[in-house]
């Protein structure tokens, strides 16, 4: 038999990972995602999930999911453009558009394929996409699927953006500026008011991926666009249903024209089965909960402020985050991973994030505070950070 099946080339690459010390096993979660989880058999405080509002295991979302299953089953049976477009999906889009204060919202199966599908559908050869250098991987992949040209500006640097706009205006037909609303590794917010001004000056369209802003910023989590009062001036606002909303899925909110076009040309919707009823039922309930009350986002911000002020007082470098994302910057890659390991031994899970996810020498423990944490859990986490910081000579 041929030895092609040995996948020797992959074995060599895996060995390289081992030689570089970056080979790893995935941690195994043995409970629902929450403020405390069972991880590899041990109960630990979880400071690493994107479950900002504690919705991933919320009783109201679970009941809504069960109700949707009872009425609609477990699968939608087809892509939306054939016969997988259930009334549930339509109702969700109506609720989402209302929540986001936009004319329409178009739902995808994930935030990732929302970017993969939308960017290529709204751009073509002769256009240019101008992207912040720290934009999410799914934006980079989405941009690669487009036939448009690309420009990259320095992170949140408006001079750098304007230089590319100036150079591009005569050369290209449409210009699309893309930015994350909240940058996930540092927690800083995009300079949307300035970006919108520049976009209008150069007649460019704007596209904001608000994965970490929706459910977090703005009135009751309406997002970064709402936070800055820029409704009607951002053409495409992306959100995920997997982070603060606690389930799975993605969407783009904007005009009816956007909706009509994506309905015909968004490839993940044309060629991949629609979200299952359970997910859609749970998401709709979550959005309704946010429209009913600011209770969840209020608690999220209260916890975030509490944790940040305690960590800052201890003397850690917590960067310049403007959101609940709290990076504790250690610097050295090996030290960062060692810090994470020692925290886990003390019952606190915070994954270490190092190069290539963040620049070399800026290794960090990215703490994600949620509405579901109690003050006692946050105190315990701070205490563990203090002990490990002292043990390792960082404090
Ligand atoms: C997490 C994330 C995504 C992907 O969303 P999923 O729903 O997990 O697929 C897209 N964009 C940004 C900026 C993100 O942070």
């Amino acid at each position: 038999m041929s030895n092609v099946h040995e996948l020797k080339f992959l074995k060599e690459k895996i060995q390289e990972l081992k030689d570089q010390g970056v080979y790893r096993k995935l941690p195994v979660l043995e409970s629902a995602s929450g403020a405390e989880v069972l991880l590899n058999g041990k109960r630990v405080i979880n400071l690493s999930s994107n479950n900002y509002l504690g919705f991933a295991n919320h009783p109201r979302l679970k009941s809504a999911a069960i109700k949707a299953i009872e009425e609609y089953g477990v699968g939608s049976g087809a892509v939306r453009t054939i016969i997988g477009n259930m009334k549930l999906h339509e109702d969700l889009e109506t609720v989402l558009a209302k929540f986001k204060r936009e004319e329409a919202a178009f739902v995808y199966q994930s935030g990732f394929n929302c970017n993969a599908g939308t960017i290529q559908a709204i751009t073509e050869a002769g256009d240019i996409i101008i992207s912040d250098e720290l934009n999410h991987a799914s934006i980079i992949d989405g941009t690669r699927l487009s036939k448009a040209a690309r420009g990259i500006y320095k992170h949140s640097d408006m001079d750098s953006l304007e230089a590319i706009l100036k150079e591009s205006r005569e050369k290209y037909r449409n210009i699309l500026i893309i930015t994350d609303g909240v940058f996930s590794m540092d927690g800083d917010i995009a300079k949307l008011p300035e970006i919108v001004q520049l976009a209008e000056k150069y007649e460019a369209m704007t596209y904001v991926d608000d994965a970490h802003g929706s459910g977090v910023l703005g009135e009751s989590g309406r997002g970064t666009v709402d936070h800055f009062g820029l409704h009607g001036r951002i053409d495409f606002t992306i959100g995920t249903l997997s982070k603060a909303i606690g389930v799975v899925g993605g969407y783009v909110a904007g005009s009816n024209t956007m909706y009509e076009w994506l309905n015909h040309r968004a490839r993940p919707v044309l060629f991949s089965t629609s979200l299952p009823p359970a997910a859609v039922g749970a998401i709709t309930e979550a959005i309704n909960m946010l429209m009913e009350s600011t209770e969840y986002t209020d608690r999220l911000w209260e916890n975030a402020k509490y944790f940040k002020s305690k960590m800052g007082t201890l003397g850690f470098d917590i960067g310049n985050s403007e959101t609940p994302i709290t990076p504790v910057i250690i610097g050295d890659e090996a030290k960062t991973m060692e810090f994470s390991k020692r925290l886990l031994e003390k019952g606190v899970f915070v994954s270490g994030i190092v190069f290539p996810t963040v620049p070399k020498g800026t290794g960090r423990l990215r703490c994600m505070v949620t509405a579901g944490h109690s003050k006692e859990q946050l105190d315990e986490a701070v205490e563990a950070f203090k002990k490990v910081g002292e043990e390792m000579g960082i404090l």
Side-chain angles (χ1 to χ4, degrees):
M1 207 164 83
S2 153
N3 59 11
V4 67
H5 304 304
E6 278 177 34
L7 306 180
K8 195 161 160 282
F9 71 106
L10 290 184
K11 283 183 181 149
E12 283 165 12
K13 285 179 197 286
I14 292 166
Q15 189 54 49
E16 273 171 35
L17 295 179
K18 289 180 177 166
D19 295 344
Q20 291 160 9
V22 292
Y23 180 88
R24 47 134 182 78
K25 287 216 160 47
L26 300 179
V28 180
L29 198 57
E30 293 166 288
S31 66
S33 184
E36 242 178 63
V37 292
L38 200 57
L39 190 73
N40 299 327
K42 195 176 154 195
R43 194 146 274 290
V44 297
I45 294 171
N46 170 20
L47 270 180
S48 274
S49 83
N50 299 316
N51 180 21
Y52 286 109
L53 301 174
F55 281 0
N57 190 37
H58 195 287
R60 275 183 68 180
L61 272 73
K62 291 203 275 192
S63 317
I66 292 164
K67 188 163 165 277
I69 288 178
E70 280 168 354
E71 196 170 339
Y72 285 92
V74 293
S76 68
V79 301
R80 281 183 80 185
T81 47
I82 299 189
I83 185 132
N85 181 42
M86 292 171 154
K87 179 152 189 310
L88 272 180
H89 296 101
E90 294 268 321
D91 290 347
L92 170 60
E93 290 183 334
T94 305
V95 170
L96 265 177
K98 189 169 162 216
F99 176 63
K100 298 296 284 189
R101 301 188 165 125
E102 298 286 347
E103 280 177 15
F106 188 74
V107 169
Y108 287 84
Q109 302 90 338
S110 79
F112 194 103
N113 77 13
C114 177
N115 281 324
T118 307
I119 298 170
Q120 63 164 324
I122 59 173
T123 54
E124 57 191 8
D127 298 340
I128 184 167
I129 298 165
I130 307 180
S131 192
D132 186 290
E133 67 178 340
L134 292 190
N135 279 346
H136 190 258
S138 57
I139 295 177
I140 297 170
D141 288 11
T143 303
R144 284 186 183 139
L145 291 171
S146 163
K147 294 195 172 67
R150 289 168 228 161
I152 293 172
Y153 62 95
K154 291 206 196 86
H155 176 53
S156 282
D157 181 333
M158 295 301 107
D159 293 335
S160 168
L161 171 59
E162 182 158 20
I164 302 174
L165 282 167
K166 214 175 242 167
E167 201 182 290
S168 306
R169 187 55 286 174
E170 293 308 315
K171 272 170 60 187
Y172 298 97
R173 195 181 57 136
N174 288 329
I175 302 178
L176 180 67
I177 304 171
I178 306 188
T179 180
D180 279 13
V182 172
F183 290 88
S184 56
M185 294 303 145
D186 295 282
D188 55 323
I189 305 175
K191 294 178 178 162
L192 283 192
E194 287 95 325
I195 291 174
V196 165
Q197 270 188 352
L198 283 174
E200 288 172 356
K201 181 171 168 193
Y202 292 91
E203 295 198 34
M205 298 180 289
T206 43
Y207 182 112
V208 176
D209 180 347
D210 213 17
H212 284 277
S214 53
V216 176
L217 285 169
E219 187 198 346
S220 211
R222 281 172 171 80
T224 309
V225 176
D226 188 78
H227 169 78
F228 286 119
L230 289 170
H231 293 289
R233 295 174 76 190
I234 301 287
D235 301 286
F236 306 93
T237 302
I238 278 58
T240 64
L241 301 164
S242 56
K243 290 179 175 145
I245 304 305
V247 193
V248 70
Y251 61 90
V252 45
S255 65
N256 286 325
T257 309
M258 169 283 294
Y259 187 94
E260 279 182 301
W261 178 246
L262 292 180
N263 215 351
H264 288 86
R265 282 294 179 275
R267 291 169 71 83
V269 175
L270 263 61
F271 298 107
S272 183
T273 300
S274 52
L275 281 173
V280 182
I283 296 161
T284 309
E285 183 72 0
I287 304 296
N288 282 327
M289 282 160 66
L290 289 178
M291 288 200 289
E292 277 166 24
S293 151
T294 61
E295 169 193 346
Y296 302 97
T297 46
D298 289 348
R299 204 178 318 138
L300 167 65
W301 280 94
E302 190 189 312
N303 279 347
K305 282 178 186 147
Y306 181 80
F307 182 75
K308 278 186 179 181
S309 81
K310 287 210 149 184
M311 292 296 284
T313 312
L314 282 184
F316 284 108
D317 175 3
I318 58 168
N320 301 307
S321 171
E322 302 164 85
T323 60
I325 296 169
T326 310
V328 178
I329 300 163
I330 305 296
D332 179 73
E333 282 71 27
K335 262 193 189 163
T336 304
M337 299 319 284
E338 175 66 19
F339 204 113
S340 169
K341 201 177 125 219
R342 291 196 192 194
L343 276 177
L344 188 58
E345 287 162 8
K346 298 195 183 339
V348 179
F349 180 75
V350 191
S351 74
I353 296 182
V354 296
F355 180 81
T357 308
V358 294
K360 268 213 171 88
T362 69
R364 65 200 58 194
L365 297 139
R366 188 183 60 153
C367 302
M368 306 293 280
V369 182
T370 74
H373 288 100
S374 66
K375 293 276 185 316
E376 292 70 33
Q377 288 167 332
L378 295 176
D379 286 343
E380 208 179 312
V382 170
E383 195 53 35
F385 262 98
K386 179 166 180 274
K387 282 199 188 124
V388 176
E390 284 166 356
E391 273 171 33
M392 290 183 62
I394 290 165
L395 285 182

